[in-house]
Amino acid sequence: MSWFLADGTSSPDSPALREAHENATEAAGYVEQHWADWLEAGLRILLIIVIAMVLRSVVRRAITRLIARMNRTAQAVDGTALGGLLVNTERRRQRSEAIGSVLRSVASFLIMGTAALTILSVLKINLAPLLASAGVAGVALGFGARNLVTDFLSGVFMIIEDQYGVGDTIDAGVASGEVIEVGLRVTKLRGDEGEIWYVRNGEVKRIGNKSQGWATAAVDVQIRYDEDLDKARGTIQRAGEQLSKEEPWNERLWGPVEVLGLDAVTLDSMVISTSAKTMPGKALGVERELRWRIKQAFDEAGIRIVGGLPQDAALETAPDPAAGVAAPSALANPSSPQSANASPIPAQPSGGSANLTK
Protein backbone atom coordinates (compact mmCIF):
# COMPACT_ATOMS: atom_id res chain seq x y z
CA MET A 1 0.00 0.00 0.00
CA SER A 2 1.45 3.34 -1.03
CA TRP A 3 1.46 6.29 1.39
CA PHE A 4 2.41 8.81 -1.28
CA LEU A 5 0.06 10.71 -3.54
CA ALA A 6 0.45 11.15 -7.27
CA ASP A 7 2.12 14.53 -6.85
CA GLY A 8 4.82 12.99 -4.60
CA THR A 9 3.49 14.27 -1.24
CA SER A 10 2.68 12.07 1.73
CA SER A 11 -0.86 11.23 2.58
CA PRO A 12 -2.38 12.66 5.73
CA ASP A 13 -2.37 9.28 7.44
CA SER A 14 1.31 8.54 6.73
CA PRO A 15 3.46 7.35 9.71
CA ALA A 16 5.93 10.24 9.38
CA LEU A 17 3.21 12.82 9.71
CA ARG A 18 1.60 10.99 12.54
CA GLU A 19 4.98 10.77 14.40
CA ALA A 20 5.70 14.44 13.85
CA HIS A 21 2.22 15.33 14.99
CA GLU A 22 2.63 13.23 18.12
CA ASN A 23 6.00 14.79 18.92
CA ALA A 24 4.66 18.28 18.46
CA THR A 25 1.69 17.47 20.65
CA GLU A 26 3.92 16.09 23.38
CA ALA A 27 6.26 19.11 23.22
CA ALA A 28 3.33 21.49 23.35
CA GLY A 29 1.91 19.62 26.29
CA TYR A 30 5.29 19.62 28.09
CA VAL A 31 5.75 23.32 27.49
CA GLU A 32 2.17 24.00 28.53
CA GLN A 33 2.70 21.95 31.66
CA HIS A 34 6.03 23.46 32.70
CA TRP A 35 6.08 26.97 31.27
CA ALA A 36 4.87 28.42 34.54
CA ASP A 37 7.74 26.77 36.42
CA TRP A 38 10.25 27.98 33.85
CA LEU A 39 8.94 31.49 33.99
CA GLU A 40 9.02 31.45 37.77
CA ALA A 41 12.59 30.11 37.83
CA GLY A 42 13.73 32.70 35.27
CA LEU A 43 12.18 35.52 37.22
CA ARG A 44 13.74 34.24 40.44
CA ILE A 45 17.18 34.01 38.80
CA LEU A 46 16.80 37.50 37.34
CA LEU A 47 15.71 38.83 40.72
CA ILE A 48 18.65 37.15 42.45
CA ILE A 49 21.12 38.66 39.97
CA VAL A 50 19.61 42.13 40.30
CA ILE A 51 19.60 41.98 44.10
CA ALA A 52 23.20 40.70 44.16
CA MET A 53 24.44 43.42 41.81
CA VAL A 54 22.60 46.19 43.70
CA LEU A 55 23.77 44.90 47.08
CA ARG A 56 27.35 44.59 45.84
CA SER A 57 27.30 48.13 44.45
CA VAL A 58 25.83 49.56 47.66
CA VAL A 59 28.34 47.77 49.89
CA ARG A 60 31.34 48.74 47.75
CA ARG A 61 30.17 52.36 47.61
CA ALA A 62 29.72 52.45 51.38
CA ILE A 63 33.23 51.05 51.89
CA THR A 64 34.67 53.61 49.45
CA ARG A 65 32.94 56.48 51.27
CA LEU A 66 34.23 55.21 54.62
CA ILE A 67 37.79 55.08 53.30
CA ALA A 68 37.47 58.57 51.80
CA ARG A 69 36.20 59.93 55.12
CA MET A 70 39.15 58.37 56.94
CA ASN A 71 41.54 60.04 54.48
CA ARG A 72 39.86 63.44 54.88
CA THR A 73 40.10 63.16 58.66
CA ALA A 74 43.81 62.37 58.40
CA GLN A 75 44.43 65.35 56.10
CA ALA A 76 42.51 67.68 58.42
CA VAL A 77 44.67 66.92 61.47
CA ASP A 78 47.97 66.53 59.63
CA GLY A 79 50.43 69.29 60.54
CA THR A 80 48.61 70.27 63.74
CA ALA A 81 49.42 69.51 67.36
CA LEU A 82 46.82 66.73 67.27
CA GLY A 83 48.46 65.31 64.18
CA GLY A 84 51.51 64.38 66.23
CA LEU A 85 49.38 62.05 68.31
CA LEU A 86 48.07 60.33 65.18
CA VAL A 87 49.77 58.65 62.28
CA ASN A 88 50.82 60.65 59.25
CA THR A 89 48.63 61.12 56.19
CA GLU A 90 50.50 58.73 53.90
CA ARG A 91 50.42 55.98 56.48
CA ARG A 92 46.69 56.40 57.08
CA ARG A 93 46.02 56.56 53.34
CA GLN A 94 47.88 53.34 52.57
CA ARG A 95 46.36 51.57 55.53
CA SER A 96 42.84 52.69 54.66
CA GLU A 97 43.28 51.78 50.98
CA ALA A 98 44.54 48.32 51.89
CA ILE A 99 41.67 47.76 54.31
CA GLY A 100 39.19 49.04 51.72
CA SER A 101 40.58 46.72 49.05
CA VAL A 102 40.31 43.71 51.36
CA LEU A 103 36.78 44.62 52.46
CA ARG A 104 35.59 45.18 48.89
CA SER A 105 37.05 41.87 47.74
CA VAL A 106 35.55 39.96 50.65
CA ALA A 107 32.15 41.63 50.16
CA SER A 108 32.12 40.87 46.42
CA PHE A 109 33.14 37.25 47.01
CA LEU A 110 30.50 36.66 49.65
CA ILE A 111 27.66 38.36 47.77
CA MET A 112 28.36 36.91 44.32
CA GLY A 113 29.19 33.48 45.73
CA THR A 114 25.94 33.36 47.66
CA ALA A 115 24.04 34.50 44.56
CA ALA A 116 25.66 31.77 42.42
CA LEU A 117 24.77 29.05 44.92
CA THR A 118 21.21 30.35 45.15
CA ILE A 119 20.85 30.29 41.35
CA LEU A 120 22.11 26.70 41.24
CA SER A 121 19.56 25.71 43.88
CA VAL A 122 16.80 27.38 41.85
CA LEU A 123 17.86 25.28 38.85
CA LYS A 124 17.48 22.19 41.09
CA ILE A 125 21.15 21.29 40.81
CA ASN A 126 22.49 19.17 43.65
CA LEU A 127 25.07 21.29 45.48
CA ALA A 128 26.50 18.55 47.69
CA PRO A 129 29.07 17.20 45.14
CA LEU A 130 30.00 20.74 44.16
CA LEU A 131 30.57 21.82 47.76
CA ALA A 132 32.55 18.65 48.47
CA SER A 133 34.79 19.23 45.45
CA ALA A 134 35.29 22.87 46.44
CA GLY A 135 36.25 21.79 49.95
CA VAL A 136 38.83 19.31 48.64
CA ALA A 137 40.24 21.93 46.26
CA GLY A 138 40.45 24.46 49.11
CA VAL A 139 42.35 22.01 51.31
CA ALA A 140 44.76 21.18 48.47
CA LEU A 141 45.31 24.87 47.73
CA GLY A 142 45.89 25.57 51.43
CA PHE A 143 48.59 22.90 51.68
CA GLY A 144 50.19 23.76 48.36
CA ALA A 145 50.27 27.54 48.83
CA ARG A 146 50.37 27.72 52.61
CA ASN A 147 53.22 30.27 52.59
CA LEU A 148 51.23 32.59 50.34
CA VAL A 149 48.11 32.18 52.47
CA THR A 150 50.15 32.79 55.63
CA ASP A 151 51.68 35.97 54.18
CA PHE A 152 48.29 37.25 53.07
CA LEU A 153 46.52 36.57 56.38
CA SER A 154 49.42 38.04 58.36
CA GLY A 155 49.34 41.17 56.21
CA VAL A 156 45.58 41.54 56.69
CA PHE A 157 45.85 41.32 60.47
CA MET A 158 48.88 43.64 60.58
CA ILE A 159 46.97 46.31 58.67
CA ILE A 160 43.71 45.90 60.58
CA GLU A 161 45.45 45.95 63.97
CA ASP A 162 47.69 48.88 62.87
CA GLN A 163 50.84 47.19 64.10
CA TYR A 164 52.96 49.53 61.96
CA GLY A 165 52.60 51.87 59.01
CA VAL A 166 54.46 54.05 56.54
CA GLY A 167 57.01 56.23 58.30
CA ASP A 168 57.38 54.00 61.36
CA THR A 169 60.77 52.75 62.46
CA ILE A 170 60.41 49.08 63.36
CA ASP A 171 62.51 46.07 64.28
CA ALA A 172 60.95 43.06 62.55
CA GLY A 173 63.55 40.55 63.70
CA VAL A 174 64.73 39.57 60.22
CA ALA A 175 65.33 43.24 59.32
CA SER A 176 64.93 46.70 60.80
CA GLY A 177 64.47 50.18 59.39
CA GLU A 178 61.86 52.70 58.30
CA VAL A 179 58.66 51.39 56.72
CA ILE A 180 58.21 52.80 53.21
CA GLU A 181 55.38 50.54 51.97
CA VAL A 182 52.93 48.12 53.55
CA GLY A 183 51.36 45.40 51.40
CA LEU A 184 49.20 42.39 52.03
CA ARG A 185 52.08 40.03 51.26
CA VAL A 186 55.34 42.03 51.55
CA THR A 187 56.50 44.96 53.68
CA LYS A 188 59.28 47.25 52.40
CA LEU A 189 61.82 48.64 54.87
CA ARG A 190 64.65 51.13 54.32
CA GLY A 191 67.68 50.26 56.42
CA ASP A 192 70.13 52.59 58.13
CA GLU A 193 72.48 52.54 55.14
CA GLY A 194 69.72 53.16 52.59
CA GLU A 195 69.17 49.55 51.54
CA ILE A 196 65.65 48.27 50.81
CA TRP A 197 64.46 45.18 52.68
CA TYR A 198 61.53 43.12 51.33
CA VAL A 199 60.09 41.26 54.30
CA ARG A 200 57.34 38.68 53.84
CA ASN A 201 54.59 39.27 56.35
CA GLY A 202 54.42 35.59 57.23
CA GLU A 203 58.09 35.60 58.26
CA VAL A 204 57.63 38.31 60.89
CA LYS A 205 57.36 36.67 64.31
CA ARG A 206 57.70 39.78 66.45
CA ILE A 207 57.63 43.52 65.77
CA GLY A 208 59.19 46.31 67.81
CA ASN A 209 57.63 49.62 66.75
CA LYS A 210 59.77 52.57 67.77
CA SER A 211 57.35 55.18 66.41
CA GLN A 212 54.12 54.43 68.26
CA GLY A 213 53.04 55.79 71.62
CA TRP A 214 55.78 58.04 72.99
CA ALA A 215 59.55 58.08 73.31
CA THR A 216 61.85 59.02 76.19
CA ALA A 217 64.59 61.64 76.00
CA ALA A 218 67.14 60.90 78.74
CA VAL A 219 70.02 63.29 79.50
CA ASP A 220 72.69 62.69 82.18
CA VAL A 221 74.46 65.82 83.48
CA GLN A 222 77.84 65.32 85.17
CA ILE A 223 78.89 68.15 87.51
CA ARG A 224 81.65 68.61 90.08
CA TYR A 225 81.24 67.02 93.48
CA ASP A 226 81.25 70.34 95.38
CA GLU A 227 78.41 72.02 93.41
CA ASP A 228 75.04 72.93 94.97
CA LEU A 229 72.51 70.25 94.03
CA ASP A 230 69.45 72.44 94.61
CA LYS A 231 70.89 75.15 92.40
CA ALA A 232 71.66 72.59 89.68
CA ARG A 233 68.13 71.15 89.90
CA GLY A 234 66.52 74.57 89.56
CA THR A 235 68.76 75.49 86.62
CA ILE A 236 67.85 72.29 84.76
CA GLN A 237 64.13 72.79 85.40
CA ARG A 238 64.23 76.37 84.13
CA ALA A 239 66.06 75.24 80.99
CA GLY A 240 63.42 72.57 80.43
CA GLU A 241 60.55 75.02 80.92
CA GLN A 242 62.07 77.43 78.44
CA LEU A 243 62.50 74.59 75.93
CA SER A 244 58.87 73.53 76.26
CA LYS A 245 57.62 77.04 75.40
CA GLU A 246 59.49 77.44 72.11
CA GLU A 247 58.71 76.00 68.70
CA PRO A 248 59.07 73.33 67.44
CA TRP A 249 59.99 71.81 70.78
CA ASN A 250 56.59 72.56 72.33
CA GLU A 251 55.05 69.99 69.95
CA ARG A 252 57.83 67.44 70.30
CA LEU A 253 57.82 67.56 74.10
CA TRP A 254 54.81 65.69 75.49
CA GLY A 255 55.66 66.25 79.12
CA PRO A 256 57.79 68.42 81.41
CA VAL A 257 61.50 67.84 81.80
CA GLU A 258 61.85 65.93 85.05
CA VAL A 259 64.96 65.81 87.24
CA LEU A 260 65.05 62.19 88.42
CA GLY A 261 67.84 62.74 90.95
CA LEU A 262 71.41 61.60 91.45
CA ASP A 263 72.34 58.63 89.33
CA ALA A 264 75.95 58.30 90.56
CA VAL A 265 78.30 59.95 93.08
CA THR A 266 82.09 59.63 92.89
CA LEU A 267 85.05 61.37 94.52
CA ASP A 268 85.22 64.11 91.89
CA SER A 269 81.80 64.20 90.19
CA MET A 270 78.04 63.73 90.48
CA VAL A 271 75.65 62.56 87.74
CA ILE A 272 72.13 64.07 87.64
CA SER A 273 69.59 62.18 85.52
CA THR A 274 66.84 63.99 83.62
CA SER A 275 64.01 62.60 81.49
CA ALA A 276 61.13 63.82 79.31
CA LYS A 277 58.40 62.23 77.18
CA THR A 278 58.63 63.16 73.53
CA MET A 279 56.92 62.56 70.22
CA PRO A 280 57.86 59.15 68.76
CA GLY A 281 61.05 59.33 66.75
CA LYS A 282 62.01 62.78 68.10
CA ALA A 283 63.82 61.76 71.28
CA LEU A 284 67.34 62.14 69.85
CA GLY A 285 66.75 65.71 68.67
CA VAL A 286 65.19 66.69 72.00
CA GLU A 287 68.16 65.21 73.88
CA ARG A 288 70.65 67.23 71.84
CA GLU A 289 68.73 70.48 72.27
CA LEU A 290 68.27 69.88 76.00
CA ARG A 291 72.01 69.26 76.49
CA TRP A 292 72.73 72.50 74.61
CA ARG A 293 70.40 74.54 76.79
CA ILE A 294 71.54 72.94 80.05
CA LYS A 295 75.16 73.74 79.20
CA GLN A 296 74.28 77.38 78.48
CA ALA A 297 72.23 77.61 81.69
CA PHE A 298 75.09 76.13 83.72
CA ASP A 299 77.54 78.64 82.27
CA GLU A 300 75.23 81.52 83.20
CA ALA A 301 74.66 80.14 86.72
CA GLY A 302 78.36 79.42 87.34
CA ILE A 303 77.88 75.69 87.75
CA ARG A 304 80.96 73.78 86.74
CA ILE A 305 80.89 70.50 84.93
CA VAL A 306 83.56 67.88 85.47
CA GLY A 307 86.89 69.00 84.03
CA GLY A 308 86.06 72.71 84.04
CA LEU A 309 88.31 75.39 85.57
CA PRO A 310 87.17 77.36 88.62
CA GLN A 311 85.13 80.43 87.82
CA ASP A 312 87.21 82.83 90.09
CA ALA A 313 90.58 83.80 88.84
CA ALA A 314 92.36 81.43 86.57
CA LEU A 315 94.94 79.68 88.68
CA GLU A 316 98.37 79.36 87.16
CA THR A 317 100.00 76.02 87.29
CA ALA A 318 102.42 75.79 90.25
CA PRO A 319 106.08 75.48 89.17
CA ASP A 320 107.68 72.12 89.59
CA PRO A 321 110.25 72.31 92.49
CA ALA A 322 112.39 69.67 90.83
CA ALA A 323 112.50 71.47 87.51
CA GLY A 324 115.81 73.35 88.28
CA VAL A 325 117.64 70.43 89.90
CA ALA A 326 120.32 68.82 87.76
CA ALA A 327 120.31 65.13 87.17
CA PRO A 328 122.44 63.15 89.67
CA SER A 329 125.98 62.21 88.55
CA ALA A 330 128.23 59.39 89.62
CA LEU A 331 131.16 61.84 90.12
CA ALA A 332 129.24 63.78 92.74
CA ASN A 333 129.27 60.86 95.18
CA PRO A 334 132.74 60.52 96.84
CA SER A 335 131.93 57.13 98.34
CA SER A 336 131.28 55.67 94.95
CA PRO A 337 134.01 53.28 93.77
CA GLN A 338 133.92 54.81 90.36
CA SER A 339 134.65 58.27 91.75
CA ALA A 340 137.53 56.99 93.88
CA ASN A 341 139.29 55.30 90.97
CA ALA A 342 138.67 58.13 88.60
CA SER A 343 141.69 60.33 87.85
CA PRO A 344 141.15 64.05 87.96
CA ILE A 345 140.88 65.80 84.63
CA PRO A 346 142.91 69.03 84.53
CA ALA A 347 140.96 72.09 83.62
CA GLN A 348 142.04 73.89 80.53
CA PRO A 349 142.49 77.62 80.85
CA SER A 350 140.22 79.65 78.74
CA GLY A 351 141.58 81.68 75.92
CA GLY A 352 144.13 79.20 74.57
CA SER A 353 145.29 75.61 74.46
CA ALA A 354 147.17 74.04 77.38
CA ASN A 355 150.93 73.31 76.98
CA LEU A 356 151.82 69.86 78.18
CA THR A 357 155.46 69.52 79.67
CA LYS A 358 157.35 66.42 80.68
Side-chain angles (χ1 to χ4, degrees), residues 198-242:
Y198 294 85
V199 181
R200 290 171 41 203
N201 294 330
E203 295 294 327
V204 179
K205 303 303 180 183
R206 53 110 176 140
I207 297 174
N209 195 326
K210 303 177 182 179
S211 301
Q212 283 186 347
W214 46 268
T216 302
V219 175
D220 293 336
V221 183
Q222 190 171 7
I223 62 176
R224 296 175 64 89
Y225 71 95
D226 55 350
E227 294 292 341
D228 188 353
L229 290 176
D230 294 333
K231 182 179 179 181
R233 181 199 297 269
T235 304
I236 295 174
Q237 290 177 346
R238 286 191 296 272
E241 292 175 359
Q242 183 181 3

Side-chain angles (χ1 to χ4, degrees), residues 111-163:
I111 294 173
M112 302 309 294
T114 304
L117 294 178
T118 307
I119 291 174
L120 293 178
S121 65
V122 169
L123 296 177
K124 301 184 182 305
I125 297 177
N126 189 9
L127 299 179
L130 181 62
L131 295 178
S133 301
V136 173
V139 172
L141 180 62
F143 277 105
R146 58 183 180 273
N147 291 334
L148 182 62
V149 175
T150 302
D151 296 341
F152 180 81
L153 293 178
S154 300
V156 170
F157 282 107
M158 285 179 182
I159 293 174
I160 292 178
E161 296 173 359
D162 193 20
Q163 297 180 8

